[in-house]
Amino acid sequence: MSVQSRSDRGTFRPVAGQQKTEILWDTYGVPHIYGKDVQSLFHAFGWAQMHSHGNVILRLYGQARGRAAEYWGEKYVESDQWVRTMGVPVRAQQWYDAQNPTFRNYIDAFAAGINAYTQNHAELIDDEVKGVLPVTGVDVLAHLHRVLNFTFIVNPQTVASLREEWENTQDTSTEFNQQNITPQKPLGSNGWAIAPSRSASGNAMLLANPHNPWSNLFLWYEAQLNAPGIDTYGATLVGIPVLTIGFNDNLGWTHTVNKYNGRDVYELTLADGGYRFDGKIRAFETETQTLNVRQPDGTLEEKPLTVQRSIHGPVIAQKDGKALALRVVGLDQPGALEQWWTMGLAKNLTEFEAAIKPLQIPMFTVIYADREGHIMHLFNGQVPVRSQGDYAYWSGIIPGDTSTTLSTQFHPYADLPRVLDPQSGWLQNANDPPWTTTFPAPLKPDDYPAYMVPRGPMEFRAQHSAKMLKSDERISFEKMVEYKHSTHVELAERLLDDLITAARQHGGEVGKNAADVLETWDRKTESDSRGAVLFAFWNEEVDFSNLFAVPWNEQEPLTTPNGLADPVSAVTALEAAAQRVIATYGTLDVPWGEVFRLRSGNLDLPANGGEVDIFRNLWFSPLEDGRFEAIGGESYVAAIEFSNPVRAMALVSYGNATQPNSPHVGDQLELFAKKQLRPIWRSRQEIEVHLATREVFTDVE
């Protein structure tokens, strides 16, 4: 393959029938790929992802193979054990064999692009990850499988927590339920669709805003994919060969992590070397595998791994004559990549729904808008058909001795909660159940199985999301972007007045001083907000299990919960928080941005936004100096108006690359700190104006 690379800001030249494949890299490191055909497009997309994230991708593919410890040592043993126990490498081959032959060629082309990049630019890839090469289409699917089924639907941290609590409890019966399981901080996201009736311009609009960790397999990658008849723009998680959030001239979609349970944990009763099932003894399938673990001297040490599987799935724990087995949906549904690809090719609602009806994507809400003015919210997922019980029951530990609890089918598209073109003219999801996607609420929980989706509550981020949309009769594109950056603390609206009154009534000098600071606080987490740090620390001190005088009520979803149930204990927590703030920062009214920071390379910027159920969501990790560094949350933002031409702006908070010495590592962080988006360049003419580098592929097969 021959690749010509050069800087070029030349005059726009229309291409009459794309006869070559090109990557036009813009000044923010976004690849605009023009493929002479679809296979060449996928090849170039693999090349582009390696250019931007090569080291990360090879490490992720090594982990998806279940061979990371062989490549990089002992610290990856648990990762390999998880991937192998869940059957990812073997099933990835099965998925590969089951692909539509044409689409399988596209996956192979993506893998070939990865390999071609490393052959041409070996010096830009770290030596320690080159052992993974060459990669194959099976590796691509193994990575996808690990991300979807064994990170988003269920992950090793959640399973380890469940296993530890189950092993340590005295109760080995199935009465051990969801209340015994330590919840994990959920991955978050915001999504909006606004109909022409609520848009200032009369055009439908879409807001995409996933919240993920800023590292590893959660990194977003922005790109434009062009081939004859194809022009889709959007983003995907690194290593995935199609856009998973995207838009074209006619329509667009985003995803949010939905309140969805696609995993069942079964308690088995052991007997005679097997387990009881429907009144009989059933044998486990047992397999012994070998993990090769690289030692510091470069030698490999063999470590055995024994995997037991019941009819439910792999065994994840055993004690006292009992065992736990894990069942995960979607293991026989290999078509997620082709479904996302087809979604990006759709030209109208009918074609888009035809693309998503097979339900190959195992979870995620779909928020949709199009040029014709349609908007849609779909509670998407492979929801198992259950025999009994509600959502809470199936989130716990289920009796595994009977086939009546073993789900073997999932609900078809027609069964799922779906809202199309609501009377309100707007839809939102901020990881809340679909019942609160808009108001007046068109969906009724009683019309759906109790196990499909929980009934509530509506968290504060979702409430603020809905209130912003509900309060504005004509939303402009600029206003939508402004709302997107809201740092308003909805929780403060429900508690702050009561807390200030209680502090002045029950508090000592520290409590009264804290009340004074909170009274002048703007109830936001702007970088210069004074009082936000104190309120955040109070959130850590106070007992949320008995905080509100009025609990959440689904009849009043946007005004409850409300009020302090125990003002005295709330003041005690406030005084403890105030003492921490003074001891650490020397003043109660330290600005938010002095404590919470955005860091990348030499950049160290004041943050705005935060974790307290704020629409502009950021997650922080403590630093040694008492400050906190953003490590997740706001990841990718795209604001789209289906005008003619489409108007769109975007941001990848941490930049569109992670490769060492790339100028695009962190190059969008200053825009993020200023609450700004950058324009999306889609036409070839405007891309040429903002061109940094052009790569031309002259002989891609």
Side-chain angles (χ1 to χ4, degrees):
M1 179 187 63
S2 174
V3 180
Q4 301 168 7
S5 179
R6 57 195 172 95
S7 295
D8 188 337
R9 292 183 178 272
T11 305
F12 169 62
R13 294 177 299 277
V15 177
Q18 188 75 23
Q19 299 300 315
K20 57 189 176 183
T21 296
E22 298 176 286
I23 304 177
L24 306 185
W25 293 93
D26 73 26
T27 51
Y28 284 103
V30 175
H32 304 263
I33 303 173
Y34 291 82
K36 67 178 183 179
D37 52 40
V38 177
Q39 192 159 326
S40 299
L41 171 64
F42 274 81
H43 187 281
F45 196 29
W47 175 287
Q49 288 206 30
M50 282 299 290
H51 174 78
S52 304
H53 293 289
N55 293 340
V56 170
I57 289 171
L58 292 182
R59 195 172 295 273
L60 292 175
Y61 283 8
Q63 289 178 265
R65 283 179 184 169
R67 294 175 59 190
E70 176 183 336
Y71 301 132
W72 306 300
E74 186 74 31
K75 68 179 180 178
Y76 286 96
V77 167
E78 289 186 4
S79 171
D80 286 354
Q81 290 172 336
W82 170 255
V83 167
R84 299 275 198 97
T85 300
M86 296 302 116
V88 170
V90 172
R91 199 173 296 109
Q93 180 66 59
Q94 296 168 354
W95 281 17
Y96 179 82
D97 294 339
Q99 296 296 308
N100 172 316
T102 299
F103 196 79
R104 183 167 56 231
N105 289 338
Y106 299 161
I107 297 172
D108 287 340
F110 180 82
I114 289 174
N115 296 328
Y117 182 87
T118 57
Q119 291 167 5
N120 282 265
H121 297 293
E123 75 284 359
L124 300 179
I125 303 298
D126 286 352
D127 288 340
E128 71 170 3
V129 298
K130 289 178 182 175
V132 177
L133 295 165
V135 303
T136 68
V138 176
D139 292 317
V140 176
L141 288 165
H143 171 62
L144 173 79
H145 190 20
R146 177 181 177 233
V147 169
L148 287 183
N149 301 90
F150 296 109
T151 301
F152 277 91
I153 293 178
V154 65
N155 60 62
Q157 293 77 25
T158 297
V159 168
S161 176
L162 184 152
R163 181 174 58 236
E164 180 179 358
E165 294 187 40
W166 179 78
E167 290 173 344
N168 290 336
T169 186
Q170 296 301 309
D171 181 10
T172 60
S173 74
T174 54
E175 293 178 5
F176 179 98
N177 60 25
Q178 72 283 351
Q179 295 180 353
N180 298 94
I181 299 174
T182 301
Q184 182 200 11
K185 179 180 177 62
L187 299 170
S189 25
N190 301 321
W192 284 2
I194 299 170
S197 63
R198 295 297 287 264
S199 167
S201 66
N203 300 313
M205 296 190 294
L206 181 71
L207 178 69
N209 182 211
H211 305 152
N212 297 76
W214 288 3
S215 60
N216 203 9
L217 55 78
F218 300 103
L219 289 166
W220 286 95
Y221 188 60
E222 185 177 356
Q224 183 178 11
L225 304 183
N226 296 273
I230 298 167
D231 183 356
T232 308
Y233 195 105
T236 190
L237 295 176
V238 292
I240 292 178
V242 295
L243 300 178
T244 57
I245 291 175
F247 69 96
N248 56 40
D249 283 333
N250 300 295
L251 58 81
W253 77 94
T254 188
H255 290 304
T256 61
V257 175
N258 45 357
K259 286 285 190 297
Y260 165 80
N261 177 23
R263 62 95 179 131
D264 295 332
V265 180
Y266 292 91
E267 186 174 77
L268 311 180
T269 299
L270 304 180
D272 299 333
Y275 59 98
R276 298 189 182 279
F277 188 75
D278 281 349
K280 299 178 181 179
I281 306 299
R282 193 177 182 108
F284 288 105
E285 295 179 14
T286 302
E287 177 187 9
T288 299
Q289 302 181 26
T290 300
L291 301 181
N292 291 316
V293 183
R294 185 166 296 278
Q295 303 303 300
D297 63 1
T299 61
L300 296 178
E301 179 180 291
E302 293 186 350
K303 185 183 289 267
L305 172 66
T306 299
V307 180
Q308 280 189 316
R309 297 185 181 89
S310 71
I311 193 173
H312 314 82
V315 173
I316 58 173
Q318 289 192 37
K319 75 160 188 176
D320 300 335
K322 301 283 187 177
L324 295 184
L326 177 67
R327 188 173 185 82
V328 178
V329 303
L331 305 188
D332 58 349
Q333 304 295 318
L337 291 179
E338 187 169 7
Q339 180 169 319
W340 268 312
W341 173 249
T342 308
M343 288 160 63
L345 302 183
K347 296 180 176 60
N348 53 48
L349 175 63
T350 300
E351 292 182 6
F352 187 83
E353 286 205 271
I356 60 178
K357 281 181 179 178
L359 299 179
Q360 294 295 294
I361 301 168
M363 63 175 291
F364 307 126
T365 295
V366 177
I367 301 287
Y368 166 94
D370 68 26
R371 180 182 296 280
E372 296 177 353
H374 297 297
I375 62 173
M376 182 178 69
H377 173 146
L378 173 69
F379 180 84
N380 170 74
Q382 295 163 359
V383 180
V385 176
R386 315 288 197 184
S387 60
Q388 63 191 67
D390 60 9
Y391 188 89
Y393 174 82
W394 289 96
S395 298
I397 293 180
I398 308 303
D401 59 352
T402 170
S403 57
T404 61
T405 60
L406 186 64
S407 303
T408 58
Q409 296 179 312
F410 61 81
H411 284 272
Y413 183 83
D415 289 357
L416 301 178
R418 169 183 171 273
V419 178
L420 177 66
D421 299 334
Q423 173 188 340
S424 65
W426 58 268
L427 295 164
Q428 72 80 37
N429 188 260
N431 313 116
D432 46 319
W435 326 127
T436 50
T437 185
T438 195
F439 298 99
L443 296 175
K444 306 301 179 187
D446 290 339
D447 294 338
Y448 297 86
Y451 57 72
M452 184 173 281
V453 194
R455 294 190 72 124
M458 189 179 188
E459 303 294 345
F460 287 115
R461 177 163 52 88
Q463 290 191 33
H464 184 53
S465 172
K467 287 170 73 172
M468 287 189 287
L469 289 164
K470 190 172 185 288
S471 65
D472 194 335
E473 292 293 328
R474 286 289 183 269
I475 304 172
S476 67
F477 182 86
E478 292 79 10
K479 200 68 178 178
M480 181 174 72
V481 172
E482 179 184 329
Y483 288 149
K484 162 65 220 81
H485 293 128
S486 174
T487 69
H488 181 75
V489 182
E490 186 70 21
L491 175 62
E493 297 298 329
R494 313 303 171 81
L495 298 173
L496 199 61
D497 291 343
D498 285 1
L499 181 59
I500 291 168
T501 299
R504 287 178 173 151
Q505 182 176 353
H506 302 292
E509 182 180 358
V510 171
K512 291 179 171 61
N513 290 339
D516 291 341
V517 170
L518 292 177
E519 188 171 47
T520 61
W521 173 39
D522 61 6
R523 305 190 182 194
K524 298 178 181 179
T525 53
E526 298 297 319
S527 60
D528 58 355
S529 293
R530 295 177 180 268
V533 173
L534 173 60
F535 190 74
F537 278 37
W538 176 74
N539 270 262
E540 295 181 3
E541 296 285 346
V542 76
D543 179 9
F544 266 81
S545 65
N546 187 35
L547 181 60
F548 297 103
V550 179
W552 186 78
N553 183 342
E554 64 182 19
Q555 302 304 316
E556 301 176 279
L558 299 180
T559 57
T560 57
N562 196 16
L564 283 173
D566 186 349
V568 174
S569 65
V571 172
T572 300
L574 179 62
E575 292 186 329
Q579 289 167 351
R580 283 178 56 203
V581 172
I582 293 171
T584 307
Y585 309 111
T587 178
L588 273 178
D589 65 347
V590 58
W592 180 263
E594 284 190 18
V595 176
F596 294 91
R597 310 295 294 179
L598 302 169
R599 291 182 168 185
S600 179
N602 295 324
L603 290 176
D604 189 350
L605 305 169
N608 53 78
E611 291 188 52
V612 192
D613 266 330
I614 297 168
F615 197 68
R616 183 169 167 84
N617 194 255
L618 282 178
W619 316 339
F620 294 95
S621 178
L623 300 168
E624 292 182 358
D625 61 1
R627 298 194 296 174
F628 297 81
E629 176 182 8
I631 59 167
E634 299 280 326
S635 302
Y636 176 65
V637 180
I640 304 135
E641 180 180 354
F642 289 98
S643 51
N644 189 15
V646 171
R647 182 182 184 186
M649 302 185 78
L651 198 76
V652 181
S653 304
Y654 35 74
N656 212 35
T658 54
Q659 282 301 93
N661 303 317
S662 170
H664 304 297
V665 176
D667 68 338
Q668 299 180 51
L669 199 61
E670 290 190 77
L671 289 174
F672 180 83
K674 296 175 182 177
K675 299 168 71 172
Q676 296 176 359
L677 304 182
R678 24 160 277 273
I680 286 176
W681 301 308
R682 289 181 65 230
S683 74
R684 192 172 180 109
Q685 184 170 10
E686 61 187 354
I687 296 165
E688 295 267 6
V689 171
H690 300 282
L691 189 65
T693 303
R694 183 195 313 269
E695 292 185 286
V696 181
F697 300 77
T698 57
D699 56 355
V700 176
E701 296 298 331

